[in-house]
Amino acid sequence: MLSPSSDWLPPAPLEPLHLDWLSQSGIEVAILRLDRIDPLISGNKWFKLIEHLKAADLANAKGIISLGGAHSNHLHALAAAGKRFGFATVGLLRGHPQQTPTVEDLQAFGMQLHWLGYGGYRARHEAGFWQPWQAQYPDLHPVPEGGGGLPGAKGCLQLRPMVREQLHDLGWSDYDGWWLACGTGTTLAGLVLAEAGDHPVYGALAVPDDHGVAQQVESIVLEAGVQNPAYELFDASRGGFAKVDPLLLDFIEQTEQASGLPLEPLYTGKALLALKQHVEAGRFAQGTRLIFIHTGGLQGRRGFR
């Protein structure tokens, strides 16, 4: 069985976020700490894998083959899950062979790696891309980059009840929307499906427009048949995927010192900085209550030291 019992998964705590720029604007934010569910299979990565693993079980597959970069949080969580639960994993990586802390972990977890170059990786959306890989690994189930697609989104449906069960502890009766970083848009799409228009979902794009996040979200929502989806996407990429700048790094350092909240610069840091900018621009009325999702990825901070 590739798909383990969900009993191993502890609930992610929902915590109030206390920062000066929030209190000065009269905005309340609670942060869903998905980074705290597990030291290795962390953040939203496990939720995006759940339905893919179930599909692999139904296909009698012996493991998973998927894609990512040299700092991929998705491949890191997948390789760690494979080692822990005893199934084979293969990673198809962007670019040329390099050693990063993430790659070293993938190797230590037993993941078989193939480097596709940059042109080979760009071909991942083309028809027929998977055929040679499925011929080479007929016992493995293919999973899109980042655990994407409708199965990945469905695995994120449980985030909504996870939050609602903890609202009372915050003294909240309800919330006004979600805010999270988007790399593929899969988690955002899952929340859009779960909410079905009840609350808006705001996605801070950590990647440029040419990564096709908007199209992927639209495709998932259409496939799921959601009527009147409520979501918005905002550019938070700061000039490109994995681009960081002094303002972002200073913001992360100040936020960690003020709140003790660990952030990383590719996703959570960019998303929270974008929220600060929108709050200070007056986008949200006083009294607004938002759920911010900490999508994990803290292992990737090692590549920026």
Side-chain angles (χ1 to χ4, degrees), residues 39-109:
L40 293 177
I41 311 172
S42 172
N44 58 339
K45 317 307 177 285
W46 170 254
F47 299 94
K48 293 193 290 182
L49 282 172
I50 291 171
E51 296 298 320
H52 287 297
L53 290 175
K54 289 180 181 178
D57 269 342
L58 289 173
N60 294 315
K62 295 181 180 178
I64 299 290
I65 180 170
S66 192
L67 304 112
H71 303 279
S72 171
N73 296 315
H74 162 65
L75 289 185
H76 193 271
L78 174 61
K83 181 175 176 61
R84 182 177 303 177
F85 301 116
F87 59 84
T89 57
V90 171
L92 307 179
L93 278 84
R94 178 194 305 111
H96 304 292
Q98 58 177 297
Q99 287 300 116
T100 68
T102 301
V103 170
E104 290 171 1
D105 281 354
L106 300 183
Q107 294 167 328
F109 296 152

Side-chain angles (χ1 to χ4, degrees), residues 163-223:
V163 161
R164 299 204 69 83
E165 289 168 3
Q166 300 182 70
L167 287 179
H168 182 267
D169 296 336
L170 291 177
W172 292 14
S173 59
D174 202 357
Y175 52 89
D176 298 299
W178 301 79
W179 190 282
L180 72 156
C182 293
T184 64
T186 306
T187 304
L188 177 138
L191 292 171
V192 171
L193 304 190
E195 287 288 354
D198 288 348
H199 299 89
V201 186
Y202 302 105
L205 290 167
V207 297
D209 287 344
D210 62 5
H211 281 234
V213 175
Q215 294 84 351
Q216 291 179 66
V217 172
E218 183 179 3
S219 175
I220 292 171
V221 170
L222 284 173
E223 187 178 353

